[in-house]
Structure formats: structure tokens, C-alpha cells
Amino acid sequence: MASPYPHYAWAAGHFILLVCSMRYLLAWVTFKSGAYEIWYRSAFTGAIISYAIVVYKSLGTPQPNAAYFRKALADENFQYFLLALFWWFTKPVSLAIIPYATFSLFHALTFTRTNIIPRIFPTQPAPGQGEAARAPAHPLAKSIHTWVKANYDGAMRSVAWAELVILVRVTLGFVFGLIPFVSSKIGMKNSFLAPIVFAQFLRLRYYYSAFTRTVVQNADALISNYVNQPSAPPALKQAWVPLRTVIVKYGASVIEPAQPAAAGAAGARR
């Protein structure tokens, strides 16, 4: 029988991520995030723990060869694991924590439903069904299951939109960082690596996530429709058309098809 401890460590990582994210985001919306950077780092520490466990379970022991790395890059958990490492080592970007916190909310709720509630509120099979019969789920567990099913797709679409916004944020952060007066006033500065790394991450998400593809297509339609209106400033269209061409060419290169995840692996998006 496999040890349950890796699963508990995975869950602990998500609970750490969720709690620390909530505390940091509360400080962020009240303009006090600078004093709570430890919560930001702690949140991504939880993410690194959880995603490292899932990657190990689904891909096995890391191998120093190109085949393993190509397989890993096609695994969404490995993608989020690498990105969590990048966010941990770089200057905080508050928006970056939102997708991870969203995933952790659903994982924490599911773990609570399947592991915590049955131990705190055990139920018994109905009389006459015998000892082998499965005990009914507790009403609280049923409520959590219903909520998760009803809100999962909407939350994943929100994450995909948030990731587009993050790309805009880190791109502007790099541009503003080149202008000392602007960066000192706005305080939105990051290294040139952030937009490069996140653009590559988003490119992978476009290939491997239906939610991301849909959101990118919707964003493209919204922007194109706006800049093509007669009332739109001509400069917008002149800027958007070549920019869109560059984006399409960047995303058009071939990426190896995704490999099926191992059975039972707890992923970032399920």
C-alpha cells in the first residue's frame, strides 16, 4: 500500500498556499503588500511543495535527458511548478498569486470533503445494507462537492483571464522600469525576464489548456473588433496589426503534444 504522507504533504502545501495568499492579497488591496512579502514567499513555498509532489508522482524521478524534459514541459503541473519557482526568486508581482490561490481553493475544498469531513463526521450505511455497503456522504461534503462542480469551469476561465492580465502587467512593469520617473511614481517595476518567461508559459498554456485558448481567442476578437471600428483612433489599428502578427508567429511554432498524466495524479487543472 502506498504511503499516504505524500498526499498529506501535497494537501498541506495547498493549505499553506491558500492561507498565505489570502493574507497577502488582503494586504495588497489595502496598499500594504510591501510589509507582507513573507506571506507572498510562503504562498509560493506551498505551491512549490505541492506541485513538486505531483510532478514526481506523474513523471517519476527526473532524468537528465531531452526526452524527459520534453515530456515534463507538456505537463501542466511542471509548467506551474517552474513558474512558481520563478515567482519565488523574483520581485513580487501580486497578481501572480491569484491563479495559484484559485487552484488551491478547489484542491483544499476537495481534500476537506474526501479526507477531513469523513474523519470528523463519520457516517454509517443505512440499516439493512450490510457492513460492505458504502456510507453516505455527510451533507457538508455533499454541499462542497456541489459547489465545486458548479463553479469549477467558471473559476478556470477566470484564471485564464487573470493570466492574460498578468502578461500585460509584467510587460508594462518592464517598460515602466525603463523610465525612472514613471517607475518611482507607479511602483510597478519588474525585470525583463518576467514578460519573457510568462509569455513562454502562456504559450504553453494556449496549447495545452482549452480554457486559455478560448480566453485568448475572445481577447483577440474584442481587441480586433474595437480597433476596426471607424471611431477608433487609426494609431491603435496601426499598432495592433503588427503586434498581433508577432504574437501569432510566436505562438505558431510546433510544440510536442501533451502526454497523458498518470492515473490518480492531483493536477493543477482537472
Side-chain angles (χ1 to χ4, degrees), residues 29 33 50 99 101 109 147 161 208 217:
V29 298
S33 59
S50 292
L109 287 173
W147 188 90
W161 278 108
Y208 299 127
Q217 291 162 5

Side-chain angles (χ1 to χ4, degrees), residues 175-192:
V175 173
F176 291 161
L178 300 175
I179 310 172
F181 174 79
V182 176
S183 62
S184 63
K185 292 292 184 180
I186 299 179
M188 192 170 67
K189 181 181 179 181
N190 51 255
S191 74
F192 75 96

Side-chain angles (χ1 to χ4, degrees), residues 109 112-113 117 121 137-147:
L109 287 173
T112 299
R113 175 179 65 85
I117 291 177
F121 306 108
H138 189 274
L140 180 57
K142 291 181 179 179
S143 297
I144 292 175
H145 182 60
T146 300
W147 188 90

